[in-house]
Amino acid sequence: MLAATLGAALAFGAPAALAGTAPVSPSGAPAPVAKAPGGAKAAAPSSQSATWVAGTRAYLVITAPGDSSAVRSAIAANGGTVFSNYDAIGVIVAHSASSTFATTMRGVSGVQKVGATRTSDVPADAYNPALPANPAQSSTPAGEPVRADMSQIKADQAWAVTTGSASVKVGVLDTGVDDQHQDLAPNFNAADSVSCAYGKADARTGAWRDVDTHGTHVAGTIAAAKNGKGVVGVAPGVKISAVRVAEPGNSFFFAENTICGFVWAGDHGFKVTNNSYYTDPWQFNCPDNIDQAAIIEGVKRAQEYAESKGSLQIAAAGNENYDLAHKTTDTASPNDSTPVTRTITNACLDIPTELPGVVTVAANGSGTTKASFSNFGSGVIDVAAPGSDVYSTLPGGKYGTKSGTSMATPHVVGVAALIASANPSITPAQIRDKLATQANDIACPSDGRCTGTAANNSFFGEGQVDALKAVGSTPPSGKYFENLGDVAIGDNTTVESPITVSGVSGNAPATLKVGVDIKHTYIGDLKVDLVAPDGTVYTVHNRAGGGTDNIAQTYTVNASSEVANGTWKLRVNDNAGGDTGKIDAWNLTF
């Protein structure tokens, strides 16, 4: 989930780590993504209302989990203040304007690591954060056609099985979310939303709102409501919470913000979190750097804490077209001051996407191609999803298109949310496994940088996610047949799409599953029949639905009197003028 920092700067005018997991602008420049902090019992610092002074820097002070009172006292005695405190994971966020603070604290008993999280000053806003704007809302006319990205991962077919459970909470750790947006408000969970900017939970109403556009776009791809307008998210029945980890003005996602977000996710029961960003200011954090080692440890502990509470983190791979398995240089860090070119190795990690347990997502371009900007890497990429020209929600009731691994990641998060909806007791590890096993294999293109097999390679990992398979609609091996070929449906015409079944002994079952994906703007025109090999007709849809668009449904047919092997057909009869469409795909499960 590396962020394309430079791309972010180009696309958004800010040098933040949003880019690695961020969207790409229409010109092709990657855009940034944000992360959110959370609150594992963060202690209110006594310096909360202190007057800001120039030179104030933020530090992670790492100690053993548990009572950190002695270390906190040492911080105060050595020119620092405790800004927030996460005893459950042994991480303290300290502020100090003393140039000797870190060195002194590293010699304190009980302190394991100390590291500066920035190469710039903590903004004065950290001590009295301004609330983000609450934009006026535009209205959208009725109509929410199924988008190509949703069809590509069969989300529209999965909705016939489940649109997701309202008991499943998804955390959007990003630039914030416009909770007033007409397509997000029905599924927005304000009670568990927060700002983690600066590394401390701020639960004031509206603190979670978007300081950019990125987080709102991500949220729509995950769970925009199926309400007849705008767009539909992959999991339109689940609840989304905003955890704003980006700071205003620059959309930086510093380590303390991410730590806050992960702890908040664990403490508030988020089943999945979306992380389309990398941790500023270092595109890669190297363990041989004393500051970056503390960042790695602090964020790693927070991620492990969230997972121990049942939360799976999913993150963007980044938009630099960079081989994460063969790292050589970093030219983008630190992005909060003056970047320098440095030599790095694979020991240096893109945080949080390369942390253990985090699902790393690459972006597909058109169909199953590699998006030109997507990072890659053997053993690094877990799965892939559509990330080019994704249409989704924007603040103020608006909609727009973005590209990036930031846009691919929420597709995977939505699929994970559907998996959790269908399996309420599932663990993060089990969701990870199911995402992998249900992904559709994509072979390497003729590109020497792609290594591995069709089942797992450096461009696409385990393959492109498949929402329909993920929710349990994939039948046993050898008993599932599909036709993905398009068949145009003209006015007042009858068309057929065949599937040849072989290798199934005996008759078809009494519960033959017929999955139908028809794109048509007025389904009341349509009669849809399943035609058995002997010509017997089973009607599954007979001109119902009026002016509703599209049929994406799985029907159950008692075909027990039919021999299974042979050519089955889906027959579609259009009975009126003025609306046309196509058979997009259909399948049979024996």
Side-chain angles (χ1 to χ4, degrees), residues 2 53 61 77 170 233 295 300 334 370 431 457 476 504 520:
L2 290 176
V53 296
V61 180
V170 177
I295 291 173
K300 176 174 175 288
K370 174 190 175 294
I431 297 176
N457 58 59
V504 181
H520 197 283

Side-chain angles (χ1 to χ4, degrees), residues 172-490:
V172 179
L173 277 61
D174 212 290
T175 60
V177 173
D178 179 5
D179 56 302
Q180 306 293 316
H181 194 293
Q182 60 198 341
D183 240 355
L184 301 177
N187 292 333
F188 192 80
N189 173 20
D192 292 310
S193 293
V194 72
S195 169
C196 274
Y198 310 116
K200 183 177 53 173
D202 178 356
R204 291 177 297 164
T205 299
W208 57 72
R209 291 194 176 120
D210 209 333
V211 295
D212 189 87
T213 61
H214 192 272
T216 299
H217 194 277
V218 164
T221 299
I222 297 169
K226 203 170 190 297
N227 55 1
K229 62 177 101 176
V231 296
V232 187
V234 177
V238 305
K239 293 297 183 183
I240 47 175
S241 298
V243 180
R244 178 167 68 86
V245 289
E247 297 180 7
N250 52 33
S251 290
F252 281 123
F253 300 80
F254 291 107
E256 59 267 37
N257 308 6
T258 301
I259 289 167
C260 169
F262 285 163
V263 172
W264 183 273
D267 285 344
H268 289 79
F270 295 174
K271 200 68 177 178
V272 195
T273 69
N274 189 103
N275 302 271
S276 291
Y277 60 91
Y278 70 72
T279 301
D280 296 293
W282 307 99
Q283 184 171 356
F284 300 98
N285 285 273
C286 301
D288 61 353
N289 178 288
I290 198 166
D291 292 313
Q292 293 162 38
I295 291 173
I296 294 171
E297 181 65 19
V299 179
K300 176 174 175 288
R301 288 190 187 186
Q303 194 290 122
E304 290 172 345
Y305 178 86
E307 180 160 344
S308 75
K309 296 284 190 175
S311 178
L312 175 66
Q313 279 54 252
I314 300 178
N319 300 337
E320 295 83 16
N321 192 25
Y322 192 97
D323 186 350
L324 299 178
H326 296 89
K327 302 186 183 85
T328 56
T329 57
D330 175 9
T331 62
S333 308
N335 63 5
D336 67 336
S337 55
T338 304
V340 297
T341 298
R342 57 178 179 150
T343 300
I344 61 172
T345 69
N346 285 348
C348 302
L349 301 178
D350 182 347
I351 303 295
T353 200
E354 287 192 281
L355 289 176
V358 176
V359 176
T360 303
V361 180
N364 290 123
S366 175
T368 55
T369 62
K370 174 190 175 294
S372 60
F373 51 80
S374 182
N375 286 350
F376 58 97
S378 179
V380 179
I381 302 301
D382 292 308
V383 290
S388 296
D389 298 323
V390 175
Y391 188 80
S392 186
T393 48
L394 295 176
K398 298 175 183 177
Y399 300 84
T401 298
K402 292 182 187 289
S403 296
T405 54
S406 284
M407 282 57 259
T409 304
H411 288 90
V412 179
V413 169
V415 171
L418 291 179
I419 291 172
S421 298
N423 306 273
S425 62
I426 197 166
T427 66
Q430 290 169 332
I431 297 176
R432 271 197 304 270
D433 289 345
K434 195 164 182 65
L435 284 171
T437 58
Q438 298 303 306
N440 293 316
D441 294 346
I442 306 175
C444 279
S446 54
D447 186 325
R449 300 172 304 165
C450 187
T451 59
T453 66
N456 195 328
N457 58 59
S458 59
F459 273 16
F460 312 110
E462 298 280 353
Q464 187 178 86
V465 291
D466 186 316
L468 184 62
K469 289 182 180 179
V471 296
S473 291
T474 304
S477 177
K479 296 185 179 181
Y480 179 79
F481 305 85
E482 67 180 348
N483 186 337
L484 299 177
D486 291 351
V487 179
I489 305 169

